Amino acid sequence: MESGPGIFAGIVFLLFGTALLGWTGARALRRAPVAEGVRPAVAVPLALAASGVCLALGVWCFARL
């Protein structure tokens, strides 16, 4: 019963991190802006770092089960 919230949080973090990573990669390959009004040299690394953090949190949630 206690593992339900952990599984849910892990799935949400992994899905969001994967989606953000894919979206950032697709936008960067097309040379499209990743964030409106932000230089690509700043936006791409920040988005990649955020997706990496989300993926790491998802793995951490599943490791705690």
Side-chain angles (χ1 to χ4, degrees), residues 4-62:
I7 292 171
F8 178 74
I11 289 172
V12 169
F13 278 126
L14 288 176
L15 285 175
F16 181 74
T18 303
L20 183 59
L21 185 63
W23 181 80
T24 303
R27 298 292 288 184
L29 285 175
R30 291 186 199 136
R31 303 271 186 212
V34 174
E36 193 66 36
V38 181
R39 293 188 331 238
V42 174
V44 172
L46 283 176
L48 291 176
S51 65
V53 167
C54 287
L55 290 172
L57 282 171
V59 170
W60 179 77
C61 284
F62 282 118

